[in-house]
Amino acid sequence: LMRMADVDFDELIRQPLLHPQSPAEAVASARAGACWLDVRYPEEYARQTLRNSRNLPLTVLRLQSQRLPKDTQYILCAEDSGQAAVGAFLLIERGFQVVYLAAPVAAVAVTYPELVLTPEI
């Protein structure tokens, strides 16, 4: 039995598994068939929703991941790329094909406004 420092765990295990994508790369992946998986709270998701995205908050991701098809690639996104990376790591541990957006969802919305659904009033 060994104990590993957080820094070593991050460098040796977590980082090699995670695959960040820029907004342009993520949009290209989505256009190629990957599914946006937004891990923000529902209120945040409702304010700025990406077209063809699914909302599964980070707080329930571990419990609800079995509802996701495993034959789909997912692009995890959030307000913060760190949150998206945590969600990506949780899904990778469960055998999913995952990349994460290395920028806030707002960065995609600004650069690709056609991908944002307009909230209904």
Side-chain angles (χ1 to χ4, degrees), residues 7-120:
V7 173
D8 294 330
F9 178 80
D10 193 50
E11 182 181 331
L12 297 172
I13 297 178
R14 186 177 303 146
Q15 291 303 324
L17 294 175
L18 295 175
H19 303 287
Q21 288 194 336
S22 69
E25 292 169 322
V27 168
S29 292
R31 288 180 176 153
C35 178
W36 292 103
L37 186 60
D38 195 320
V39 296
R40 297 177 294 165
Y41 287 110
E43 301 81 31
E44 296 169 317
Y45 177 73
R47 281 194 300 268
Q48 193 169 55
T49 303
L50 295 178
R51 197 173 298 281
N52 300 320
S53 67
R54 182 172 180 173
N55 182 230
L56 195 57
L58 190 57
T59 55
V60 298
L61 186 62
R62 182 178 284 134
L63 300 171
Q64 298 294 320
S65 63
Q66 73 274 7
R67 293 182 177 195
L68 297 171
K70 284 202 173 181
D71 61 346
T72 301
Q73 181 183 19
Y74 296 96
I75 308 162
L76 267 76
C77 58
E79 286 295 317
D80 173 87
S81 62
Q83 291 174 331
V86 168
F89 187 75
L90 290 173
L91 290 181
I92 288 168
E93 283 183 316
R94 287 158 178 76
F96 288 90
Q97 302 170 49
V98 181
V99 296
Y100 72 95
L101 181 62
V105 172
V108 174
V110 167
T111 310
Y112 302 92
E114 71 277 8
L115 296 180
V116 179
L117 294 177
T118 307
E120 293 181 16

